[in-house]
Every structure is written in C-alpha cells, then in structure tokens.
Amino acid sequence: HDKHDNLTSQCCNHGRDDISQSRLAAKDLVLDVLKKRASEIDVDNCAPGAEDPFYVADMGEIYRQHLRWKMNLGRVKPFYAVKCNPDPEILRLMSKLGNGFDCASKSEIDLALETGVDPSRIIYAQPCKTKSYLRYAAQVGVKQMTFDNADELYKIKAHFPDAELYLRILTDDSTSLCRLSMKFGASLDVARQLLELARDLKLKVVGVSFHVGSGAEDPKAFVKAVQDARWVFDQAAEVGHELHTLDVGGGFCESTFDKFSGVLSEALDSYFPLPIRIIAEPGRYYVSSAFTLAANVIARRDAPDPLDPSRDAYMLYLNDGVYGNFSNIIFDHQHPVARILTCASSSRASSPNTSSLDGICYSIWGPTCDGIDVISERITLPGLLDVGDWLYFEDMGAYSKCSATRFNGFSDNHEVIYISSEAGATALLDY
Ligand code: PLP
C-alpha cells in the first residue's frame, strides 16, 4: 500500500504539460526503435516470416495514462479490462501500479492471478457466465462478479453462493461507437425484482455496474448512468442489501478523457459521496496509444486513382490485415492511419501523371485472399513506396493483437519490442 500511496503523490506532482511534453519525446523514441528494427531485416534474403509485422510497446505511455487517470479521477480505482490487450507485460505493469483487473473468462482470470494480485483485485465482469468458470472463480476466490438477469442469479446460487454481486444496469449508449447495451444490462423496470430475488436466494449484492459503450460522444451518458445507479442503490437499501461499490465500467478514450472525466467526477461527487467505493474497467484508455505497429509492403500494383482516373495510384499489399492485427477495423470500428517508416526510393513522383506536390495516392490491403481485407481504401502519402518498404501505424494497442486470427496461414503472434519512455515505468518493471 505504501508503494501505491507514494505513486499517487508522485502522480499529483506531475503536471498536465509534463505529460504532453514527455509524450512528444516518446514518439521520437518509438520511431527510432521501429526504424532500427526494420533496418535489421533484409527482405531480399531473410528466412520466411522474418519480415513479419512487429510492435513497439511503450510502457511509459501506459504509465503516463495512469498519471492522467490519477489526476482526473483520483477517487476511481481502475480495474484494467484484460480483454482489450492481455499482453503479460501490460498486466505486470497494471499490477505494479496497484490496479485491479476486469476479467471475462477463466483464462483472463488466470492471466490476472499470474501477476500475483490478490483475487479481491479481480472482478469477473461478464453478466452471462459459463457454469464451470463460475465454479473456477469460487475455487480461486474471485468473488466479485456482475449479473443482469434472474437466470444468472439461480446459476450463481447453485455454483458460487458466496459471490459478491454487482447488478449491471442498462445505459443509453446511442452515441457510442461500440455499443453493448443491446446485449447486456438490466433495465430499471426489472432492477428491483432482481434485487428482491437475490435477497430471497440469500445472495449478496454489493454494488451496481454499468458500461456506457466505447467511443461515446456525449459525456452526459455517464451522468445519466450515475443517476440511474443512485436510484438502484436506494432501491437496494429498501430491499435490504448493503451496497458499497459503484463500478463505472470502461469506454474511456484517450482523446475525450479530460472532458469525460470532469463530467463523471462531478456526477460521482453529487450522487455518490464518500464512503462509497468507486471502481472502473478502463481498457483502451490505458493501452491504445502505447502500441505502434510496423508492417512490410509485400506487393504493389498500379491502379488508377478511383477519385481521379487521370492520376496514377497504387494498391499496396501489407503482410498484416483485418484478419491479423488490423482486426480492430472490423471489431472495434477503428481507422488506423498509415505513415511511412522506410521508403527506399528517393523519388516523390512515379510518373508525369502523379503529382509530387499532392503526394501519391494508395489503397492499402492485407495479405489474405479475402476482398474485405482492406486497411485503407484511399490515402495519400508523401513518397513512392515499393515492395520491401515499411509502414507504421500508431494507436494500435487496443482490440488488435488479441483478436487477430491465423486465417490463410498467417501468424497471429507477432514480435513486441518493449521500451519505456518514462522513468516511473522503467523502475516498476525493472527494465
Ligand atoms: N468492461 C466491460 C464489461 C466491457 O465489455 C468492456 C469492453 O467491451 C470494457 C470494460 C472495456 O472497454 P474499453 O476498452 O472501451 O474501456
């Protein structure tokens, strides 16, 4: 605990400007490491797959996100959503930072436990659980878990009657990019009935949870969810439960965090003053910007620019696509942006029809035989790329590697080069 308290005071000494400054310097460092690694690979002579895509993971960026969290939402304890990126180094850092874990399956529970955390630092945040996983949670002492329906309560009664339950409520996620409420969450109409059933089954409800969806535009979604949670807390007290924790879920994004956290903090102070404990389940917020991916150009075809057929354009084929690390395009509605890492040709224009001033127009494709395997339908880049050149993509840490497949025989397990641009993370991880 002392270690974590020290960290918290260290966080508060770090200003917002310090964090932005460090982030800029970190980007240069990441680029240097990407270039160095790419320069070691001779695509004309290397062994099969030696030119596979690779990541540079800056653990310092995760550390900075943690400092930002502490500055903006100091009262809210993060339980990192393992599903987002279960990389063991990330989990190790989360554990050292004092965070908990949001797990959705037996394997995720195992990964979290392997970091050495106490089971009380894990929440099994999946409202519809597998029976055998429930028994496993009981066996390893992971007591906290969510539910949102009566059948789940009967299941919990049969397989883990000592569990500590959080009623997950429905939220308005209509402005979110990734919506979850069509699948999970009890409406307020049934909340009281569920609380009564839990009481009648002698189950212990300890809190309320929600998830406003990811990539939300409107921070008011958080305010409404907090107000609804307050109503459920009051109902629970009437029914005879003693609730002590509110779980505000995930969905925090790097770009909207300052705005959202301000609105959420105010709502929490109004509706849930101390001593109510507040936890959250951030995933992408922590890791998205920490991972940068490099992929190799394995083939190129010329093709007219679809918007201006008088201009030359190229189709580039990379050794990674939507069945691989770019699975975030399909599953997470992301639009990764290609940048040039290496470009062997010094020429900026390929032919008289290609304007060097405007850059060169490309579409970027993955390596599989499927037509949906497209990374970018049209992008203009300032260089004439050819087979063997490298592109890189920032913000590739969330819902990318973890949902990659081996379709068409391509690897789903690519090299990750870990670095740290922050002394704090370096010290914690003994790098
Ligand atoms: N908690 C739950 C229950 C989720 O389903 C998810 C994502 O699907 C998360 C947390 C993490 O969301 P995000 O990565 O958007 O923070």
Side-chain angles (χ1 to χ4, degrees):
H1 274 288
D2 283 352
K3 217 173 172 183
H4 300 146
D5 289 347
N6 286 343
L7 178 67
T8 309
S9 60
Q10 213 178 309
C11 297
C12 297
N13 294 335
H14 243 79
R16 275 193 179 79
D17 293 345
D18 293 346
I19 292 181
S20 313
Q21 287 282 310
S22 318
R23 182 170 264 171
L24 283 178
K27 284 197 176 211
D28 289 340
L29 177 65
V30 168
L31 204 53
D32 287 348
V33 178
L34 287 164
K35 280 189 178 151
K36 180 168 180 302
R37 179 73 189 102
S39 72
E40 290 163 2
I41 302 167
D42 173 4
V43 294
D44 291 320
N45 296 293
C46 67
E51 73 284 68
D52 271 359
F54 63 91
Y55 282 101
V56 172
D58 179 8
M59 307 310 271
E61 176 64 9
I62 296 178
Y63 184 82
R64 277 189 294 277
Q65 287 296 81
H66 186 69
L67 302 189
R68 250 179 112 193
W69 184 281
K70 289 276 171 193
M71 279 190 293
N72 290 273
L73 284 178
R75 208 187 135 194
V76 183
K77 184 174 167 84
F79 279 53
Y80 171 67
V82 175
K83 60 181 82 64
C84 175
N85 187 334
D87 181 299
E89 283 296 300
I90 295 178
L91 303 188
R92 197 158 73 90
L93 179 56
M94 292 297 164
S95 150
K96 297 239 174 179
L97 290 170
N99 288 350
F101 294 97
D102 148 16
C103 299
S105 64
K106 174 192 178 287
S107 324
E108 288 188 1
I109 290 175
D110 284 340
L111 285 171
L113 288 173
E114 276 162 26
T115 67
V117 295
D118 190 86
S120 63
R121 272 168 62 184
I122 297 176
I123 180 164
Y124 188 177
Q126 158 60 290
C128 297
K129 292 167 280 300
T130 310
K131 281 181 184 175
S132 62
Y133 292 3
L134 251 181
R135 292 194 294 275
Y136 185 71
Q139 189 191 320
V140 294
V142 172
K143 285 189 162 187
Q144 300 175 90
M145 59 187 62
T146 57
F147 75 100
D148 66 0
N149 66 81
D151 289 311
E152 192 70 8
L153 285 176
Y154 290 114
K155 197 198 293 172
I156 293 170
K157 175 72 185 171
H159 298 276
F160 193 177
D162 294 334
E164 296 171 357
L165 306 180
Y166 290 69
L167 174 54
R168 173 145 166 197
I169 56 169
L170 205 61
T171 59
D172 174 9
D173 60 0
S174 53
T175 74
S176 296
L177 220 50
C178 306
R179 301 181 67 177
L180 301 167
S181 285
M182 76 285 269
K183 186 166 178 187
F184 296 120
S187 74
L188 294 192
D189 300 342
V190 298
R192 189 175 176 115
Q193 275 163 262
L194 289 172
L195 292 165
E196 285 170 351
L197 177 61
R199 179 200 57 203
D200 296 345
L201 291 172
K202 300 202 170 19
L203 293 172
K204 193 169 164 195
V205 182
V206 300
V208 171
S209 81
F210 59 76
H211 193 303
V212 296
S214 301
E217 269 170 31
D218 188 358
K220 285 198 210 92
F222 268 116
V223 179
K224 174 78 171 66
V226 169
Q227 288 168 336
D228 288 350
R230 178 71 256 170
W231 185 83
V232 178
F233 260 65
D234 295 341
Q235 294 292 307
E238 284 180 24
V239 168
H241 294 290
E242 284 177 29
L243 272 48
H244 54 63
T245 302
L246 172 66
D247 175 357
V248 298
F252 301 89
C253 295
E254 137 68 24
S255 55
T256 55
F257 181 69
D258 291 344
K259 187 164 95 181
F260 274 59
S261 57
V263 172
L264 175 61
S265 262
E266 259 179 45
L268 291 175
D269 289 344
S270 310
Y271 294 96
F272 287 93
L274 289 168
I276 297 295
R277 184 177 81 126
I278 316 283
I279 65 172
E281 300 163 1
R284 71 188 64 241
Y285 166 80
Y286 266 102
V287 294
S288 179
S289 51
F291 278 55
T292 305
L293 179 73
N296 192 248
V297 178
I298 53 167
R300 186 185 79 171
R301 284 167 59 187
D302 53 354
D305 179 347
L307 292 186
D308 177 1
S310 66
R311 268 179 81 183
D312 284 344
Y314 294 93
M315 297 170 76
L316 295 181
Y317 297 77
L318 303 188
N319 54 358
D320 206 347
V322 302
Y323 287 95
N325 294 303
F326 293 97
S327 56
N328 58 355
I329 294 175
I330 305 284
F331 296 130
D332 200 35
H333 314 281
Q334 297 300 305
H335 304 283
V337 178
R339 294 174 208 278
I340 296 177
L341 183 63
T342 70
C343 181
S345 154
S346 55
S347 159
R348 293 179 63 88
S350 64
S351 77
N353 290 338
T354 313
S355 158
S356 61
L357 286 177
D358 298 345
I360 298 171
C361 183
Y362 299 95
S363 56
I364 303 180
W365 303 80
T368 68
C369 296
D370 193 346
I372 69 158
D373 194 2
V374 58
I375 297 164
S376 185
E377 289 190 10
R378 190 172 191 277
I379 183 168
T380 304
L381 292 169
L384 175 60
L385 289 153
D386 204 347
V387 172
D389 287 330
W390 290 86
L391 294 179
Y392 73 100
F393 300 81
E394 294 178 330
D395 302 325
M396 286 292 288
Y399 306 102
S400 48
K401 193 171 194 283
C402 57
S403 39
T405 74
R406 285 197 240 159
F407 179 55
N408 260 197
F410 294 99
S411 169
D412 62 347
N413 185 19
H414 297 119
E415 180 186 14
V416 181
I417 301 169
Y418 301 94
I419 62 166
S420 172
S421 59
E422 270 299 327
T426 312
L428 284 172
L429 292 166
D430 314 318
Y431 277 162

